[in-house]
Amino acid sequence: MRSWAAFLALLPVALATRPFLNEPDTGIEEVLGDTPEGTLPDLENIVGLPDFDWAARRYLNASSYTYYRLGAAGEWSYRNNLEAYGRFRFRPRTMVDIRGIESRLSTSILGYNFSVPFYISPCARAGLAHPDAEVNFMKAANEEGILYIPSLYATLSMEEIAAAKPEDGSQVHFQQLYLDSNDTATQELFSRAEKLDAKAIVFTIDSAADGNRQRGNRYSPPSEETEYVLSDWEYYAKIREMTKLPIILKGIQTVEDVRLAVQHEVPAVILSNHGGRQLDSAPSPLEIALEVYEEDPELFEQIEIYADGGVRYGADVLKLLALGVRAVGVGRPFMFANAYGVEGVRHAIQLLKHELAIDAGNLGLPDLKKIDASYVKWNSNGWYT
Ligand SMILES: Cc1cc2nc3c(=O)[nH]c(=O)nc-3n(C[C@H](O)[C@H](O)[C@H](O)COP(=O)(O)O)c2cc1C
Ligand SMILES: *[C@@H]1O[C@H](CO)[C@@H](O)[C@H](O)[C@H]1NC(C)=O
Ligand SMILES: *[C@@H]1O[C@H](CO)[C@@H](O)[C@H](O)[C@H]1NC(C)=O
Ligand SMILES: *[C@@H]1O[C@H](CO)[C@@H](O)[C@H](O)[C@H]1NC(C)=O
């Protein structure tokens, strides 16, 4: 009995040790707290990506906000995606001339040049935040020279989204797809993407079954019949013959699967747990990248590896790049920024670009391409605490 009482006495303390804040407290309440529900604060008051979540929470209705915000089950993976970056430390170098770093942020993704190594991840239903929906992402991505990957489940059709590209054909976009055993439908999707001049297909493979989405189910009950979707290596070999476009795999979560992707000549993979929306306790992209780095770092040379999940700051981007990740996707912050339309999306891109430059400068990097694992430090033993 005594130990039980002692346990109960300690419980509140244990629970209080790690309060989770949806976004860290950086004083937004003090400055913008009187923003009326259903309105947006001026865009110039938005000083970082987490602010867009705060603003959208007041502006969107509960079901729209919840659709963007939700994670699977108890949302452990959702929170862990955000918190994992905080478990990594930098090893900043001083006495390095880093002037001009802001003009040395560019990278190539599958051979296409972009101004920075981050891109807009494929997210469904941008129309919940703005009537122009995904068109805003395509336009802002073009203006800022970054990659946008529209989702198959976008509000607008892939044709309507691609029509927002400049006519000179200068903008590169990839198309995300979900595929199943209906080869006729798959062939149609590939043909449409090719016709729209998408440069690659992003095939999402982390959603073989429905996600356990309790927060979301309060607003839109799950479909009665769960669909279990076909995707295996034999299937990959087959669909590769159905299109001339490279097929990137999105949702790889272990070093074994990266190795298999190399063996099956996949051009690139995206390390992702789908923003913590599918399988709770699936690892954060930083943890997956670390597994690859610790067990088989050469994989980063053998295949282009991108990653997404929980990236909110320039520093988060740097931590993934340090392990060998080539480009980093951002999902929710752009969905929330889209409440402001194309200007909001542009503002989000510009904020993250600026953070990337100043953080790289303070890290002592004269050129983003020079980053490697010597710029970060972690404690593998303490990783899961
Ligand atoms: C509202 C929403 C819808 C999404 N829809 C898709 C989708 O249709 N296809 C897909 O591959 N990933 C989808 N994702 C996952 C994102 O591509 C990406 O993996 C994730 O958002 C990254 O985490 P972050 O939101 O913390 O940046 C979606 C994510 C969100 C938030
Ligand atoms: C992309 O950048 C590389 C290196 O900066 C450059 O050599 C190449 O010409 C560029 N390609 C295009 C298509 O602009
Ligand atoms: C919430 O907003 C979306 C987008 O405007 C709209 O489609 C939906 O009907 C609204 N839902 C409720 C419950 O008001
Ligand atoms: C497969 O897809 C095609 C094209 O979308 C459709 O016409 C057909 O009905 C589908 N077949 C099945 C079995 O669902």
PDB file of all heavy atoms in Angstrom, residues 224-252:
ATOM      1  N   GLU A 224     -16.411   2.862 -43.470  1.00  0.00           N
ATOM      2  CA  GLU A 224     -16.819   1.621 -42.820  1.00  0.00           C
ATOM      3  C   GLU A 224     -15.968   0.441 -43.265  1.00  0.00           C
ATOM      4  O   GLU A 224     -15.693  -0.461 -42.492  1.00  0.00           O
ATOM      5  CB  GLU A 224     -18.307   1.367 -43.069  1.00  0.00           C
ATOM      6  CG  GLU A 224     -19.130   2.295 -42.191  1.00  0.00           C
ATOM      7  CD  GLU A 224     -20.615   2.114 -42.308  1.00  0.00           C
ATOM      8  OE1 GLU A 224     -21.054   1.149 -42.962  1.00  0.00           O
ATOM      9  OE2 GLU A 224     -21.340   2.947 -41.736  1.00  0.00           O
ATOM     10  N   GLU A 225     -15.580   0.488 -44.536  1.00  0.00           N
ATOM     11  CA  GLU A 225     -14.749  -0.621 -45.015  1.00  0.00           C
ATOM     12  C   GLU A 225     -13.302  -0.173 -45.121  1.00  0.00           C
ATOM     13  O   GLU A 225     -12.944   0.663 -45.936  1.00  0.00           O
ATOM     14  CB  GLU A 225     -15.243  -1.095 -46.383  1.00  0.00           C
ATOM     15  CG  GLU A 225     -16.294  -2.180 -46.258  1.00  0.00           C
ATOM     16  CD  GLU A 225     -16.812  -2.610 -47.599  1.00  0.00           C
ATOM     17  OE1 GLU A 225     -16.001  -2.966 -48.463  1.00  0.00           O
ATOM     18  OE2 GLU A 225     -18.037  -2.557 -47.778  1.00  0.00           O
ATOM     19  N   THR A 226     -12.450  -0.746 -44.272  1.00  0.00           N
ATOM     20  CA  THR A 226     -11.034  -0.449 -44.354  1.00  0.00           C
ATOM     21  C   THR A 226     -10.479  -1.018 -45.645  1.00  0.00           C
ATOM     22  O   THR A 226     -10.779  -2.142 -46.015  1.00  0.00           O
ATOM     23  CB  THR A 226     -10.290  -1.096 -43.178  1.00  0.00           C
ATOM     24  OG1 THR A 226     -10.744  -0.481 -41.983  1.00  0.00           O
ATOM     25  CG2 THR A 226      -8.801  -0.901 -43.291  1.00  0.00           C
ATOM     26  N   GLU A 227      -9.664  -0.192 -46.310  1.00  0.00           N
ATOM     27  CA  GLU A 227      -9.032  -0.678 -47.524  1.00  0.00           C
ATOM     28  C   GLU A 227      -7.592  -1.068 -47.185  1.00  0.00           C
ATOM     29  O   GLU A 227      -6.857  -0.287 -46.578  1.00  0.00           O
ATOM     30  CB  GLU A 227      -9.032   0.437 -48.568  1.00  0.00           C
ATOM     31  CG  GLU A 227      -9.147  -0.079 -49.978  1.00  0.00           C
ATOM     32  CD  GLU A 227      -8.909   1.033 -50.991  1.00  0.00           C
ATOM     33  OE1 GLU A 227      -9.210   2.196 -50.660  1.00  0.00           O
ATOM     34  OE2 GLU A 227      -8.418   0.721 -52.069  1.00  0.00           O
ATOM     35  N   TYR A 228      -7.206  -2.272 -47.542  1.00  0.00           N
ATOM     36  CA  TYR A 228      -5.815  -2.698 -47.387  1.00  0.00           C
ATOM     37  C   TYR A 228      -5.191  -2.677 -48.773  1.00  0.00           C
ATOM     38  O   TYR A 228      -5.641  -3.367 -49.678  1.00  0.00           O
ATOM     39  CB  TYR A 228      -5.747  -4.086 -46.747  1.00  0.00           C
ATOM     40  CG  TYR A 228      -6.279  -4.067 -45.323  1.00  0.00           C
ATOM     41  CD1 TYR A 228      -7.592  -4.422 -45.041  1.00  0.00           C
ATOM     42  CD2 TYR A 228      -5.470  -3.656 -44.270  1.00  0.00           C
ATOM     43  CE1 TYR A 228      -8.090  -4.379 -43.754  1.00  0.00           C
ATOM     44  CE2 TYR A 228      -5.953  -3.602 -42.966  1.00  0.00           C
ATOM     45  CZ  TYR A 228      -7.261  -3.973 -42.717  1.00  0.00           C
ATOM     46  OH  TYR A 228      -7.748  -3.921 -41.437  1.00  0.00           O
ATOM     47  N   VAL A 229      -4.161  -1.834 -48.931  1.00  0.00           N
ATOM     48  CA  VAL A 229      -3.676  -1.485 -50.268  1.00  0.00           C
ATOM     49  C   VAL A 229      -2.442  -2.298 -50.654  1.00  0.00           C
ATOM     50  O   VAL A 229      -1.541  -2.497 -49.839  1.00  0.00           O
ATOM     51  CB  VAL A 229      -3.334   0.024 -50.322  1.00  0.00           C
ATOM     52  CG1 VAL A 229      -2.885   0.423 -51.713  1.00  0.00           C
ATOM     53  CG2 VAL A 229      -4.540   0.853 -49.905  1.00  0.00           C
ATOM     54  N   LEU A 230      -2.412  -2.726 -51.911  1.00  0.00           N
ATOM     55  CA  LEU A 230      -1.264  -3.470 -52.423  1.00  0.00           C
ATOM     56  C   LEU A 230      -0.073  -2.556 -52.649  1.00  0.00           C
ATOM     57  O   LEU A 230      -0.176  -1.551 -53.349  1.00  0.00           O
ATOM     58  CB  LEU A 230      -1.634  -4.135 -53.756  1.00  0.00           C
ATOM     59  CG  LEU A 230      -0.447  -4.638 -54.597  1.00  0.00           C
ATOM     60  CD1 LEU A 230       0.222  -5.838 -53.934  1.00  0.00           C
ATOM     61  CD2 LEU A 230      -0.886  -4.979 -56.008  1.00  0.00           C
ATOM     62  N   SER A 231       1.073  -2.869 -52.031  1.00  0.00           N
ATOM     63  CA  SER A 231       2.346  -2.305 -52.485  1.00  0.00           C
ATOM     64  C   SER A 231       3.450  -3.238 -52.019  1.00  0.00           C
ATOM     65  O   SER A 231       3.616  -3.445 -50.822  1.00  0.00           O
ATOM     66  CB  SER A 231       2.553  -0.878 -51.983  1.00  0.00           C
ATOM     67  OG  SER A 231       2.528  -0.812 -50.578  1.00  0.00           O
ATOM     68  N   ASP A 232       4.160  -3.840 -52.971  1.00  0.00           N
ATOM     69  CA  ASP A 232       5.352  -4.631 -52.637  1.00  0.00           C
ATOM     70  C   ASP A 232       6.368  -4.453 -53.770  1.00  0.00           C
ATOM     71  O   ASP A 232       6.110  -3.723 -54.730  1.00  0.00           O
ATOM     72  CB  ASP A 232       4.999  -6.108 -52.374  1.00  0.00           C
ATOM     73  CG  ASP A 232       4.376  -6.795 -53.579  1.00  0.00           C
ATOM     74  OD1 ASP A 232       4.433  -6.243 -54.696  1.00  0.00           O
ATOM     75  OD2 ASP A 232       3.815  -7.894 -53.405  1.00  0.00           O
ATOM     76  N   TRP A 233       7.511  -5.112 -53.664  1.00  0.00           N
ATOM     77  CA  TRP A 233       8.579  -4.843 -54.642  1.00  0.00           C
ATOM     78  C   TRP A 233       8.230  -5.364 -56.030  1.00  0.00           C
ATOM     79  O   TRP A 233       8.630  -4.788 -57.034  1.00  0.00           O
ATOM     80  CB  TRP A 233       9.915  -5.412 -54.148  1.00  0.00           C
ATOM     81  CG  TRP A 233      10.412  -4.631 -52.970  1.00  0.00           C
ATOM     82  CD1 TRP A 233      10.522  -5.050 -51.688  1.00  0.00           C
ATOM     83  CD2 TRP A 233      10.833  -3.260 -52.983  1.00  0.00           C
ATOM     84  NE1 TRP A 233      10.980  -4.029 -50.888  1.00  0.00           N
ATOM     85  CE2 TRP A 233      11.187  -2.925 -51.658  1.00  0.00           C
ATOM     86  CE3 TRP A 233      10.944  -2.278 -53.966  1.00  0.00           C
ATOM     87  CZ2 TRP A 233      11.645  -1.654 -51.306  1.00  0.00           C
ATOM     88  CZ3 TRP A 233      11.407  -1.013 -53.613  1.00  0.00           C
ATOM     89  CH2 TRP A 233      11.742  -0.712 -52.299  1.00  0.00           C
ATOM     90  N   GLU A 234       7.468  -6.439 -56.063  1.00  0.00           N
ATOM     91  CA  GLU A 234       7.025  -6.955 -57.367  1.00  0.00           C
ATOM     92  C   GLU A 234       6.133  -5.906 -58.053  1.00  0.00           C
ATOM     93  O   GLU A 234       6.240  -5.659 -59.260  1.00  0.00           O
ATOM     94  CB  GLU A 234       6.218  -8.237 -57.125  1.00  0.00           C
ATOM     95  CG  GLU A 234       6.214  -9.226 -58.258  1.00  0.00           C
ATOM     96  CD  GLU A 234       5.422 -10.470 -57.861  1.00  0.00           C
ATOM     97  OE1 GLU A 234       5.679 -11.014 -56.751  1.00  0.00           O
ATOM     98  OE2 GLU A 234       4.532 -10.844 -58.620  1.00  0.00           O
ATOM     99  N   TYR A 235       5.267  -5.309 -57.242  1.00  0.00           N
ATOM    100  CA  TYR A 235       4.375  -4.269 -57.761  1.00  0.00           C
ATOM    101  C   TYR A 235       5.190  -3.070 -58.253  1.00  0.00           C
ATOM    102  O   TYR A 235       4.918  -2.502 -59.312  1.00  0.00           O
ATOM    103  CB  TYR A 235       3.379  -3.856 -56.669  1.00  0.00           C
ATOM    104  CG  TYR A 235       2.402  -2.795 -57.110  1.00  0.00           C
ATOM    105  CD1 TYR A 235       1.441  -3.074 -58.068  1.00  0.00           C
ATOM    106  CD2 TYR A 235       2.455  -1.507 -56.577  1.00  0.00           C
ATOM    107  CE1 TYR A 235       0.546  -2.087 -58.495  1.00  0.00           C
ATOM    108  CE2 TYR A 235       1.571  -0.524 -56.990  1.00  0.00           C
ATOM    109  CZ  TYR A 235       0.616  -0.818 -57.946  1.00  0.00           C
ATOM    110  OH  TYR A 235      -0.259   0.149 -58.363  1.00  0.00           O
ATOM    111  N   TYR A 236       6.223  -2.705 -57.484  1.00  0.00           N
ATOM    112  CA  TYR A 236       7.058  -1.573 -57.902  1.00  0.00           C
ATOM    113  C   TYR A 236       7.699  -1.856 -59.262  1.00  0.00           C
ATOM    114  O   TYR A 236       7.710  -0.999 -60.156  1.00  0.00           O
ATOM    115  CB  TYR A 236       8.145  -1.269 -56.864  1.00  0.00           C
ATOM    116  CG  TYR A 236       8.958  -0.039 -57.228  1.00  0.00           C
ATOM    117  CD1 TYR A 236       8.479   1.240 -56.963  1.00  0.00           C
ATOM    118  CD2 TYR A 236      10.183  -0.153 -57.883  1.00  0.00           C
ATOM    119  CE1 TYR A 236       9.196   2.372 -57.322  1.00  0.00           C
ATOM    120  CE2 TYR A 236      10.913   0.976 -58.252  1.00  0.00           C
ATOM    121  CZ  TYR A 236      10.419   2.231 -57.963  1.00  0.00           C
ATOM    122  OH  TYR A 236      11.122   3.351 -58.334  1.00  0.00           O
ATOM    123  N   ALA A 237       8.218  -3.091 -59.429  1.00  0.00           N
ATOM    124  CA  ALA A 237       8.856  -3.459 -60.703  1.00  0.00           C
ATOM    125  C   ALA A 237       7.849  -3.346 -61.850  1.00  0.00           C
ATOM    126  O   ALA A 237       8.197  -2.912 -62.950  1.00  0.00           O
ATOM    127  CB  ALA A 237       9.409  -4.880 -60.617  1.00  0.00           C
ATOM    128  N   LYS A 238       6.612  -3.695 -61.561  1.00  0.00           N
ATOM    129  CA  LYS A 238       5.589  -3.626 -62.601  1.00  0.00           C
ATOM    130  C   LYS A 238       5.243  -2.186 -62.980  1.00  0.00           C
ATOM    131  O   LYS A 238       5.236  -1.828 -64.157  1.00  0.00           O
ATOM    132  CB  LYS A 238       4.322  -4.360 -62.145  1.00  0.00           C
ATOM    133  CG  LYS A 238       3.234  -4.346 -63.208  1.00  0.00           C
ATOM    134  CD  LYS A 238       2.127  -5.320 -62.914  1.00  0.00           C
ATOM    135  CE  LYS A 238       1.091  -4.696 -62.000  1.00  0.00           C
ATOM    136  NZ  LYS A 238      -0.066  -5.556 -61.785  1.00  0.00           N
ATOM    137  N   ILE A 239       4.989  -1.348 -61.969  1.00  0.00           N
ATOM    138  CA  ILE A 239       4.548   0.019 -62.301  1.00  0.00           C
ATOM    139  C   ILE A 239       5.678   0.831 -62.930  1.00  0.00           C
ATOM    140  O   ILE A 239       5.422   1.763 -63.687  1.00  0.00           O
ATOM    141  CB  ILE A 239       3.949   0.778 -61.083  1.00  0.00           C
ATOM    142  CG1 ILE A 239       4.956   0.909 -59.947  1.00  0.00           C
ATOM    143  CG2 ILE A 239       2.672   0.090 -60.624  1.00  0.00           C
ATOM    144  CD1 ILE A 239       4.463   1.820 -58.815  1.00  0.00           C
ATOM    145  N   ARG A 240       6.927   0.443 -62.629  1.00  0.00           N
ATOM    146  CA  ARG A 240       8.042   1.164 -63.241  1.00  0.00           C
ATOM    147  C   ARG A 240       8.009   1.056 -64.762  1.00  0.00           C
ATOM    148  O   ARG A 240       8.484   1.937 -65.468  1.00  0.00           O
ATOM    149  CB  ARG A 240       9.355   0.614 -62.692  1.00  0.00           C
ATOM    150  CG  ARG A 240      10.439   1.640 -62.697  1.00  0.00           C
ATOM    151  CD  ARG A 240      11.623   1.186 -61.957  1.00  0.00           C
ATOM    152  NE  ARG A 240      12.017  -0.168 -62.352  1.00  0.00           N
ATOM    153  CZ  ARG A 240      13.024  -0.808 -61.807  1.00  0.00           C
ATOM    154  NH1 ARG A 240      13.709  -0.251 -60.842  1.00  0.00           N
ATOM    155  NH2 ARG A 240      13.338  -2.011 -62.206  1.00  0.00           N
ATOM    156  N   GLU A 241       7.462  -0.053 -65.238  1.00  0.00           N
ATOM    157  CA  GLU A 241       7.362  -0.258 -66.693  1.00  0.00           C
ATOM    158  C   GLU A 241       6.183   0.506 -67.284  1.00  0.00           C
ATOM    159  O   GLU A 241       6.033   0.568 -68.492  1.00  0.00           O
ATOM    160  CB  GLU A 241       7.204  -1.752 -67.014  1.00  0.00           C
ATOM    161  CG  GLU A 241       8.348  -2.625 -66.505  1.00  0.00           C
ATOM    162  CD  GLU A 241       9.702  -2.140 -67.013  1.00  0.00           C
ATOM    163  OE1 GLU A 241       9.806  -1.809 -68.216  1.00  0.00           O
ATOM    164  OE2 GLU A 241      10.656  -2.086 -66.200  1.00  0.00           O
ATOM    165  N   MET A 242       5.332   1.045 -66.421  1.00  0.00           N
ATOM    166  CA  MET A 242       4.112   1.692 -66.923  1.00  0.00           C
ATOM    167  C   MET A 242       4.279   3.188 -67.166  1.00  0.00           C
ATOM    168  O   MET A 242       3.364   3.849 -67.641  1.00  0.00           O
ATOM    169  CB  MET A 242       2.947   1.458 -65.943  1.00  0.00           C
ATOM    170  CG  MET A 242       2.505  -0.007 -65.904  1.00  0.00           C
ATOM    171  SD  MET A 242       1.459  -0.408 -64.480  1.00  0.00           S
ATOM    172  CE  MET A 242      -0.007   0.545 -64.850  1.00  0.00           C
ATOM    173  N   THR A 243       5.430   3.750 -66.792  1.00  0.00           N
ATOM    174  CA  THR A 243       5.666   5.182 -66.990  1.00  0.00           C
ATOM    175  C   THR A 243       7.139   5.438 -67.259  1.00  0.00           C
ATOM    176  O   THR A 243       8.000   4.684 -66.782  1.00  0.00           O
ATOM    177  CB  THR A 243       5.220   6.015 -65.767  1.00  0.00           C
ATOM    178  OG1 THR A 243       5.545   7.393 -65.982  1.00  0.00           O
ATOM    179  CG2 THR A 243       5.872   5.544 -64.484  1.00  0.00           C
ATOM    180  N   LYS A 244       7.414   6.519 -67.991  1.00  0.00           N
ATOM    181  CA  LYS A 244       8.803   6.886 -68.215  1.00  0.00           C
ATOM    182  C   LYS A 244       9.328   7.759 -67.069  1.00  0.00           C
ATOM    183  O   LYS A 244      10.513   8.026 -66.973  1.00  0.00           O
ATOM    184  CB  LYS A 244       8.950   7.618 -69.554  1.00  0.00           C
ATOM    185  CG  LYS A 244       8.181   8.928 -69.675  1.00  0.00           C
ATOM    186  CD  LYS A 244       8.430   9.519 -71.063  1.00  0.00           C
ATOM    187  CE  LYS A 244       8.006  10.927 -71.314  1.00  0.00           C
ATOM    188  NZ  LYS A 244       6.869  11.538 -70.715  1.00  0.00           N
ATOM    189  N   LEU A 245       8.423   8.195 -66.178  1.00  0.00           N
ATOM    190  CA  LEU A 245       8.838   9.062 -65.075  1.00  0.00           C
ATOM    191  C   LEU A 245       9.497   8.252 -63.957  1.00  0.00           C
ATOM    192  O   LEU A 245       9.087   7.114 -63.693  1.00  0.00           O
ATOM    193  CB  LEU A 245       7.629   9.807 -64.506  1.00  0.00           C
ATOM    194  CG  LEU A 245       6.905  10.743 -65.461  1.00  0.00           C
ATOM    195  CD1 LEU A 245       5.680  11.360 -64.783  1.00  0.00           C
ATOM    196  CD2 LEU A 245       7.839  11.841 -65.954  1.00  0.00           C
ATOM    197  N   PRO A 246      10.507   8.837 -63.311  1.00  0.00           N
ATOM    198  CA  PRO A 246      11.065   8.168 -62.128  1.00  0.00           C
ATOM    199  C   PRO A 246      10.013   8.074 -61.024  1.00  0.00           C
ATOM    200  O   PRO A 246       9.230   9.009 -60.848  1.00  0.00           O
ATOM    201  CB  PRO A 246      12.221   9.075 -61.703  1.00  0.00           C
ATOM    202  CG  PRO A 246      12.029  10.369 -62.415  1.00  0.00           C
ATOM    203  CD  PRO A 246      11.164  10.122 -63.608  1.00  0.00           C
ATOM    204  N   ILE A 247       9.973   6.967 -60.289  1.00  0.00           N
ATOM    205  CA  ILE A 247       8.993   6.805 -59.196  1.00  0.00           C
ATOM    206  C   ILE A 247       9.726   6.802 -57.855  1.00  0.00           C
ATOM    207  O   ILE A 247      10.414   5.845 -57.490  1.00  0.00           O
ATOM    208  CB  ILE A 247       8.175   5.513 -59.359  1.00  0.00           C
ATOM    209  CG1 ILE A 247       7.477   5.484 -60.730  1.00  0.00           C
ATOM    210  CG2 ILE A 247       7.141   5.415 -58.229  1.00  0.00           C
ATOM    211  CD1 ILE A 247       6.689   4.200 -60.998  1.00  0.00           C
ATOM    212  N   ILE A 248       9.553   7.899 -57.131  1.00  0.00           N
ATOM    213  CA  ILE A 248      10.136   8.070 -55.794  1.00  0.00           C
ATOM    214  C   ILE A 248       9.210   7.384 -54.782  1.00  0.00           C
ATOM    215  O   ILE A 248       7.990   7.437 -54.930  1.00  0.00           O
ATOM    216  CB  ILE A 248      10.235   9.583 -55.477  1.00  0.00           C
ATOM    217  CG1 ILE A 248      11.154  10.280 -56.485  1.00  0.00           C
ATOM    218  CG2 ILE A 248      10.684   9.828 -54.046  1.00  0.00           C
ATOM    219  CD1 ILE A 248      11.063  11.808 -56.432  1.00  0.00           C
ATOM    220  N   LEU A 249       9.780   6.770 -53.759  1.00  0.00           N
ATOM    221  CA  LEU A 249       8.952   6.136 -52.718  1.00  0.00           C
ATOM    222  C   LEU A 249       8.896   7.035 -51.478  1.00  0.00           C
ATOM    223  O   LEU A 249       9.940   7.384 -50.908  1.00  0.00           O
ATOM    224  CB  LEU A 249       9.502   4.756 -52.362  1.00  0.00           C
ATOM    225  CG  LEU A 249       9.405   3.723 -53.488  1.00  0.00           C
ATOM    226  CD1 LEU A 249      10.010   2.392 -53.041  1.00  0.00           C
ATOM    227  CD2 LEU A 249       7.956   3.521 -53.939  1.00  0.00           C
ATOM    228  N   LYS A 250       7.702   7.380 -51.050  1.00  0.00           N
ATOM    229  CA  LYS A 250       7.507   8.266 -49.877  1.00  0.00           C
ATOM    230  C   LYS A 250       6.939   7.474 -48.714  1.00  0.00           C
ATOM    231  O   LYS A 250       5.881   6.850 -48.846  1.00  0.00           O
ATOM    232  CB  LYS A 250       6.559   9.405 -50.233  1.00  0.00           C
ATOM    233  CG  LYS A 250       6.167  10.285 -49.048  1.00  0.00           C
ATOM    234  CD  LYS A 250       5.388  11.502 -49.492  1.00  0.00           C
ATOM    235  CE  LYS A 250       5.071  12.445 -48.352  1.00  0.00           C
ATOM    236  NZ  LYS A 250       3.928  12.015 -47.518  1.00  0.00           N
ATOM    237  N   GLY A 251       7.678   7.521 -47.575  1.00  0.00           N
ATOM    238  CA  GLY A 251       7.188   6.848 -46.383  1.00  0.00           C
ATOM    239  C   GLY A 251       8.082   5.709 -45.928  1.00  0.00           C
ATOM    240  O   GLY A 251       7.666   4.856 -45.146  1.00  0.00           O
ATOM    241  N   ILE A 252       9.331   5.695 -46.394  1.00  0.00           N
ATOM    242  CA  ILE A 252      10.316   4.698 -45.950  1.00  0.00           C
ATOM    243  C   ILE A 252      10.692   5.016 -44.496  1.00  0.00           C
ATOM    244  O   ILE A 252      10.896   6.174 -44.139  1.00  0.00           O
ATOM    245  CB  ILE A 252      11.566   4.759 -46.863  1.00  0.00           C
ATOM    246  CG1 ILE A 252      11.197   4.324 -48.299  1.00  0.00           C
ATOM    247  CG2 ILE A 252      12.738   4.009 -46.277  1.00  0.00           C
ATOM    248  CD1 ILE A 252      11.348   2.873 -48.613  1.00  0.00           C
TER     249      ILE A 252
END
